[in-house]
Amino acid sequence: MTTPEPFRCGAIALIGRPNVGKSTLMNALLGQKLSITSRKPQTTRHCLRGILTTETAQFILVDTPGFQTRHRSTLNRVMNRSVRGALEAVDVAVLVVEAKRFGAEDRVLLKQVPAGVPLSWS
Ligand SMILES: Nc1nc2c(ncn2[C@@H]2O[C@H](COP(=O)(O)OP(=O)(O)OP(=O)(O)O)[C@@H](O)[C@H]2O)c(=O)[nH]1
Ligand SMILES: [Mg+2]
């Protein structure tokens, strides 16, 4: 007799520079429109959690604001802080990048991921 798979649960942060499709990916994974998406950058201003439950696992997806490296307004600082805060509280991070375009701004985000948080690409 085989032992049943353990039920797993974990939190996954979707991080990336503004407007790369983090919220669109989150909604697609959830199968419903939970997070606002738009052609304009900086649409997501707070971290937002969506839970995807399957038979063997529960995925807590955390949509985050786009990480801003160019403009240093108070709003941008607050939003960047909330990205860092999300990264402290998740098990895994997914870096969302624009297809065929990985640049300096994406590289900055790699440095924000704390040691010990596994990173994936999308
Ligand atoms: N062509 C194409 N467009 C996409 C894809 N994913 C998202 N978009 C479009 O890109 C734009 C930005 O998408 P969002 O999901 O709002 O991006 P975001 O990273 O959450 O943006 P912020 O919250 O502002 O950082 C929208 O117009 C989407 O329709 C994709 O895979 N392909
Ligand atoms: Mg968004």
Side-chain angles (χ1 to χ4, degrees):
M1 208 169 89
T2 54
T3 45
E5 284 254 323
F7 191 83
R8 295 176 191 277
C9 178
I12 304 132
L14 304 178
I15 59 166
R17 60 184 177 79
N19 220 27
V20 288
K22 300 175 292 299
S23 302
T24 303
L25 176 62
M26 161 112 151
N27 292 342
L29 291 169
L30 290 173
Q32 56 186 292
K33 192 167 178 195
L34 185 75
S35 195
I36 303 173
T37 63
S38 150
R39 282 183 294 129
K40 292 183 186 162
Q42 301 204 303
T43 301
T44 306
R45 300 209 161 175
H46 303 279
C47 291
L48 197 115
R49 284 167 192 77
I51 299 176
L52 175 65
T53 307
T54 68
E55 284 193 5
T56 54
Q58 198 157 51
F59 302 81
I60 303 167
L61 301 169
V62 185
D63 187 17
T64 64
F67 198 83
Q68 185 61 254
T69 53
R70 285 190 197 170
H71 312 288
R72 295 184 183 277
S73 69
T74 303
L75 176 64
N76 287 333
R77 271 202 298 276
V78 169
M79 282 166 38
N80 284 0
R81 203 178 301 147
S82 94
V83 178
R84 289 196 200 94
L87 282 169
E88 294 292 335
V90 293
D91 301 291
V92 180
V94 174
L95 176 64
V96 182
V97 294
E98 195 179 317
K100 298 184 184 171
R101 186 188 172 284
F102 181 88
E105 290 167 65
D106 300 300
R107 202 163 288 122
V108 168
L109 262 153
L110 293 178
K111 296 201 182 101
Q112 306 299 322
V113 181
V117 174
L119 178 74
S120 173
W121 305 84
S122 173

